[in-house]
Amino acid sequence: KEQEMHAKIQAKEQEMHTKIQAKEQEIWAKEQKIQAMEHELQAKEELKQCEIMVKEKEIEQRSHLLAVKNTSIEKLTDQVKKLQQHNTQPHLLSAQYQLSWSPCADLPE
């Protein structure tokens, strides 16, 4: 009878040990999944930061380009005004100027 009881206890201990191992593996698997999700989230955040930096650089370049173009337009406008002051036939200069240059022709879209 004592051996029977001892065998039952051992069987119960083995069953509990197996259950504990299964739970530990389940927890480990969940931890691995969480870790993978954290890595994915971190990668997405880094990608977003890179996209933001690229957009900021694009805006910076476009602003600079527009500033350069505005300066060019201002210089050309000043040159045209000076030429018009010295020109006895402003209608000819105006027509020639319109044919040779368009202020919006090469602006970025």
Side-chain angles (χ1 to χ4, degrees):
K1 200 168 187 179
E2 209 176 292
Q3 277 184 329
E4 203 178 291
M5 190 62 103
H6 185 69
K8 280 184 179 179
I9 290 172
Q10 267 190 328
K12 197 66 168 168
E13 283 177 349
Q14 186 62 42
E15 182 186 331
M16 293 303 285
H17 181 72
T18 304
K19 283 183 180 179
I20 289 170
Q21 274 187 325
K23 279 290 182 193
E24 285 174 345
Q25 286 180 343
E26 191 180 316
I27 290 168
W28 182 84
K30 286 180 180 178
E31 287 173 346
Q32 293 300 309
K33 187 176 180 181
I34 289 169
Q35 202 171 32
M37 290 168 74
E38 286 173 345
H39 286 303
E40 183 182 354
L41 186 61
Q42 185 179 357
K44 285 179 179 179
E45 286 175 9
E46 288 173 8
L47 180 62
K48 275 288 179 208
Q49 286 300 315
C50 289
E51 288 172 353
I52 289 169
M53 286 173 23
V54 167
K55 289 288 181 196
E56 286 173 347
K57 283 290 180 191
E58 286 174 1
I59 290 168
E60 192 179 301
Q61 288 176 341
R62 291 183 117 189
S63 295
H64 177 71
L65 186 61
L66 285 173
V68 168
K69 288 186 180 287
N70 284 338
T71 302
S72 298
I73 290 169
E74 288 169 12
K75 285 180 182 177
L76 286 171
T77 303
D78 289 344
Q79 288 175 357
V80 168
K81 284 179 184 174
K82 285 178 187 174
L83 288 172
Q84 284 176 336
Q85 288 172 355
H86 300 294
N87 191 2
T88 56
Q89 298 172 312
H91 61 282
L92 292 177
L93 177 67
S94 179
Q96 187 179 13
Y97 174 73
Q98 287 172 357
L99 287 174
S100 66
W101 183 80
S102 170
C104 296
D106 55 353
L107 282 176
E109 293 179 20

